[in-house]
Amino acid sequence: MISREYEFHAPKTLNEALSLLEKSGGNAKLIAGGMSLVPMMTLGLAHPDAVISLNKVPGLDGVKEDGGVLAIGAMTRHHVLKTNPLIAQHAPLLAEAAKYVGDVQVRHRGTLGGVLVHADPAADYLPVCLALGAQIKLQSAKGVRTVEARDFFKDIMTTSIEDGEILVEVRVPKLPAGSGSSYQRLHRVEGNYAIVNAAAVVEPGKKKGRVALGGVGPTPVMIDVSAHIASGVSDDALRRVSDAAFAAAENAYGDLNGDAKYKQAMARVYAQRVVRAAAAQAQ
Amino acid sequence: MKKTIQITVNGKSYSRDADTRQVLADFLRDELRLTGTHIGCGTGSCGACTVVLDGRTVKSCCILAADVDGQEITTIEGISTGAQQLHPIQEAFVEFQGLQCGYCTPGMVLSAMQLLKENPNPSEDEIRHGISGNLCRCTGYHFIVKSIQEAAKRLQASK
Ligand SMILES: Cc1cc2nc3c(=O)[nH]c(=O)nc-3n(C[C@H](O)[C@H](O)[C@H](O)COP(=O)(O)OP(=O)(O)OC[C@H]3O[C@@H](n4cnc5c(N)ncnc54)[C@H](O)[C@@H]3O)c2cc1C
Ligand code: FES
Ligand code: FES
């Protein structure tokens, strides 16, 4: 039992959710899968005055094609991302990342939007969304705004979402045919967050590419590796990618998994691995 | 704060006032007296509280009872056909020593059931992935894996 009292609302429409959120004036929490929020409330680390559930709001989940973009509802659960055919075809990095999130039960309940707003620095979708050039659609009673994933994450567990806003959709540009992509992560125990994770996209022709890294600082970081791979993905090119990853991981911090230096070193290793794998796939 | 919720648990419908601070695991244990759902960590890590929600296993310590209004739940009490009857997965756990203290067992059995529903003939590796959300502090997992392998064989044979 959670010790502190709060109001609970289960709105049946998005508008109702938005107006409840607006009325609550700041100390309300939205609940999606609850996989991060409920443990925090149980432990007394989060103590909202009101909890507003998105679980009964229709239209917030599922994957749709919208021209060159996949429009993924914020309430889409991990197991759907892992198995959805549109994701497999147009954004395989997301499916690859979803496989690693927690365990079977966590994947049945946790959501894409929940991960992005919770913004654990080593969460699986963070570097993936950066590398894919995803946009995050936020709605409030006042209207809609869209933020680039690379501008969304501000600090450890802090994003640019504002009071009164609901993350409603993640818009992921379809990868062009002939692209290569790879997601890999360092972890010691299955079902735990990564220590360091990395996602790469190499564009068709193998001249342009980018790598995003997570777990190596308060927010995910992205590197454009085009200049390094333009004349081929050689050992030399990968060495330059590795140096760039090391520099980008300058804000890595130590925790129980390892010290800052170790994580910076792992940034090198994983950046190289994902670029090599993505380039091998690209045409 | 109280909220009236209507839920179906093991085929039976209930309408109850749930304290909105109650997680589903507490509600099942304290209100419905279905104490087969265990609470180990209470924070999503151990899987002892696993139940089936609308056909999929979830950790009931991380879900608010008030948030499952109108939904359908199966707990360990609901998987066998009668009071004196065990489900074939439970039988295999008994025969192949898939448990010692039994604390993790309800969750293990439900995770095994979910796995075998999706993948009736899993490899050892797939079994280990399938139960990776369930911690066991006693068995070392080996006999749990054996029990699930045996249950898979029996369920296949009975089809
Ligand atoms: C045992 C375990 C292992 C895990 N392992 C991993 C892992 O390996 N990798 C990984 O990435 N994650 C992992 N997680 C976290 C998991 O992915 C959660 O699903 C996720 O962090 C939160 O998603 P949720 O839908 O459960 O959100 P909730 O817990 O409901 O909410 C989290 C936060 O996001 C806010 N929020 C949720 N949805 C919205 C929305 N649409 N708009 C605005 N705000 C919103 C909430 O207010 C809250 O602050 C793990 C969790 C557990 C319990
Ligand atoms: S009690 Fe729910 S996961 Fe441990
Ligand atoms: S049998 Fe004791 S925890 Fe698994």
Side-chain angles (χ1 to χ4, degrees):
Chain A
M1 177 97 101
I2 293 159
S3 48
R4 196 167 174 277
E5 286 279 3
Y6 53 84
E7 283 178 26
F8 177 83
H9 304 280
K12 298 242 161 38
T13 65
L14 185 59
N15 278 340
E16 198 188 329
L18 288 168
S19 72
L20 281 165
L21 198 55
E22 202 181 25
K23 258 186 261 159
S24 72
N27 201 19
K29 276 278 183 196
L30 294 163
I31 188 166
M35 299 306 307
S36 298
L37 181 61
V38 176
M40 286 180 75
M41 289 170 66
T42 300
L43 294 170
L45 298 172
H47 21 75
D49 294 331
V51 172
I52 303 168
S53 170
L54 296 176
N55 285 293
K56 304 286 190 250
V57 177
L60 283 182
D61 64 341
V63 185
K64 288 192 289 267
E65 280 181 289
D66 183 2
V69 170
L70 288 185
I72 309 169
M75 288 297 289
T76 307
R77 303 199 196 255
H78 308 312
H79 74 98
V80 174
L81 295 172
K82 185 176 160 221
T83 52
N84 180 279
L86 286 172
I87 303 264
Q89 191 182 348
H90 301 298
L93 271 184
L94 260 181
E96 195 54 43
K99 280 187 205 162
Y100 288 107
V101 177
D103 48 53
V104 177
Q105 295 98 310
V106 170
R107 290 192 292 270
H108 282 158
R109 186 73 183 168
T111 67
L112 174 60
V115 170
L116 297 180
V117 177
H118 189 63
D120 187 292
D124 291 291
Y125 302 137
L126 273 50
V128 167
C129 283
L130 263 64
L132 290 175
Q135 294 186 321
I136 290 167
K137 198 169 143 188
L138 304 166
Q139 190 162 346
S140 70
K142 291 185 209 83
V144 176
R145 69 182 176 115
T146 302
V147 182
E148 297 290 332
R150 63 169 184 274
D151 300 326
F152 186 66
F153 303 101
K154 294 294 179 200
D155 204 340
I156 298 178
M157 296 174 143
T158 307
T159 70
S160 61
I161 195 165
E162 284 172 16
D163 285 347
E165 284 183 328
I166 298 181
L167 195 167
V168 287
E169 192 174 278
V170 178
R171 299 182 60 80
V172 179
K174 292 181 184 171
L175 275 186
S179 313
S181 62
S182 172
Y183 175 71
Q184 297 186 40
R185 54 138 64 188
L186 168 68
H187 59 208
R188 291 216 175 80
V189 184
E190 175 164 341
N192 265 7
Y193 277 103
I195 300 170
V196 168
N197 54 6
V201 171
V202 171
E203 293 185 11
K206 307 194 193 194
K207 298 269 182 253
K208 285 187 170 176
R210 49 199 183 271
V211 181
L213 294 156
V216 296
T219 61
V221 292
M222 185 148 64
I223 320 160
D224 187 336
V225 296
S226 306
H228 307 309
I229 64 170
S231 47
V233 186
S234 57
D235 285 352
D236 222 34
L238 288 171
R239 208 164 300 128
R240 288 194 300 272
V241 168
S242 155
D243 287 344
F246 184 80
E250 61 178 352
N251 293 324
Y253 52 85
D255 58 21
L256 291 175
N257 287 313
D259 60 18
K261 269 194 181 150
Y262 172 70
K263 294 190 186 176
Q264 243 186 323
M266 290 302 110
R268 280 188 184 283
V269 173
Y270 278 81
Q272 284 198 45
R273 284 188 188 171
V274 287
V275 170
R276 190 185 286 122
Q281 245 181 39
Q283 283 153 14
Chain B
M1 188 182 145
K2 295 272 184 194
K3 182 175 184 279
T4 309
I5 58 167
Q6 280 169 9
I7 55 173
T8 305
V9 182
N10 302 330
K12 204 169 148 193
S13 345
Y14 297 87
S15 175
R16 290 289 166 93
D17 286 339
D19 189 313
T20 54
R21 296 173 300 165
Q22 232 166 8
V23 296
L24 180 58
D26 287 334
F27 179 82
L28 293 168
R29 292 177 56 82
D30 300 345
E31 299 298 326
L32 305 187
R33 309 306 293 172
L34 293 170
T35 52
T37 301
H38 293 170
I39 299 178
C41 62
T43 52
S45 301
C46 75
C49 64
T50 300
V51 301
V52 181
L53 176 66
D54 288 348
R56 293 185 185 282
T57 45
V58 293
K59 293 177 172 174
S60 64
C61 69
C62 293
I63 297 179
L64 298 177
D67 209 6
V68 296
D69 187 21
Q71 291 182 262
E72 204 167 306
I73 289 149
T74 305
T75 67
I76 191 69
E77 288 90 345
I79 68 165
S80 60
T81 44
Q84 301 305 317
Q85 204 73 46
L86 289 179
H87 186 280
I89 298 174
Q90 291 172 307
E91 274 172 4
F93 268 69
V94 172
E95 284 173 45
F96 289 80
Q97 273 196 9
L99 65 149
Q100 286 179 31
C101 80
Y103 204 82
C104 68
T105 313
M108 282 291 179
V109 168
L110 290 171
S111 284
M113 208 169 89
Q114 179 82 40
L115 170 71
L116 297 181
K117 191 173 91 178
E118 288 169 13
N119 180 359
N121 189 16
S123 65
E124 176 177 342
D125 207 40
E126 288 166 337
I127 293 175
R128 289 184 184 272
H129 282 292
I131 59 169
S132 69
N134 296 76
L135 298 182
C136 175
R137 290 282 101 131
C138 301
T139 63
Y141 302 99
H142 194 66
F143 288 132
I144 294 179
V145 173
K146 270 187 107 167
S147 304
I148 298 173
Q149 283 170 327
E150 184 58 27
K153 268 190 226 151
R154 293 181 186 183
L155 287 165
Q156 290 274 71
S158 70
K159 268 191 193 144

